[in-house]
Amino acid sequence: MAKKKNKKLTPTQQQYQRLAADIEPKRPVAANCLKAFFSGGIICLLGECIRQAFVHFGGFSDKDAAGPMAAVLVIASVLLTSFGVYDKIAQWAGAGTAVPITGFANSMASSAIEHRPEGFVLGVAAGMFQLAGSVIVFGTVAAFIIGIIYAIFVPGYAGGH
């Protein structure tokens, strides 16, 4: 392995870094954390309200209502992204909109919209899955590892039932 050289900064570079640090706007970290916390919580609360609507008005069981609820959140996120609304919300809310399933849907829709001029297959589909590929691979590998751990440590699970 090659070692990184510790490059010493010249006095001019040090002055520049001090000047840049002095004029850089201070980030309101606490306010940003609160915005992210509450906006992510509101999205999750909205998801739970949708799930409960499926249970109470749609005749779904608690367990079966989760899938349609996720689909509604994804569709809402894609629609809000296509109209340019989700990005405005995300600029204000920060990471709170990136973490729930709506953030993933927003990322995929944004990528598809951005690559649309390149065509349907090489533009929309390829652009969408360049972004989603790493998430899908991570999810698959994590599920596999958790499944193995579960099969080893949970008595009676090895048969799958």
Side-chain angles (χ1 to χ4, degrees):
M1 277 189 202
K3 289 184 178 180
K4 271 189 168 179
K5 293 181 181 179
N6 286 339
K7 192 174 169 184
K8 292 188 177 187
L9 298 177
T10 65
T12 306
Q13 290 171 325
Q14 290 173 354
Q15 288 173 332
Y16 175 77
Q17 284 192 340
R18 279 195 298 270
L19 176 64
D22 288 344
I23 62 172
E24 181 180 355
K26 303 298 180 227
R27 293 184 176 92
V29 176
N32 288 346
C33 288
L34 285 172
K35 285 180 187 178
F37 177 78
F38 284 111
S39 61
I42 288 169
I43 292 170
C44 293
L45 176 66
L46 178 63
E48 183 59 23
C49 290
I50 293 168
R51 191 179 75 79
Q52 289 300 321
F54 277 114
V55 169
H56 293 294
F57 303 115
F60 287 81
S61 68
D62 282 338
K63 185 177 179 182
D64 292 340
M69 175 271 304
V72 168
L73 287 176
V74 166
I75 291 168
S77 175
V78 169
L79 288 173
L80 289 174
T81 299
S82 65
F83 292 122
V85 175
Y86 198 92
D87 292 334
K88 291 177 183 172
I89 295 169
Q91 282 180 337
W92 179 84
T97 57
V99 177
I101 192 172
T102 54
F104 183 66
N106 167 261
S107 299
M108 297 252 325
S110 295
S111 184
I113 291 167
E114 180 181 336
H115 292 91
R116 185 181 56 208
E118 298 169 24
F120 184 71
V121 174
L122 295 177
V124 174
M128 215 169 32
F129 288 106
Q130 281 178 343
L131 173 73
S134 58
V135 176
I136 292 168
V137 169
F138 175 78
T140 304
V141 170
F144 178 75
I145 291 169
I146 290 170
I148 289 175
I149 292 169
Y150 200 78
I152 292 171
F153 293 107
V154 175
Y157 183 74
H161 298 286

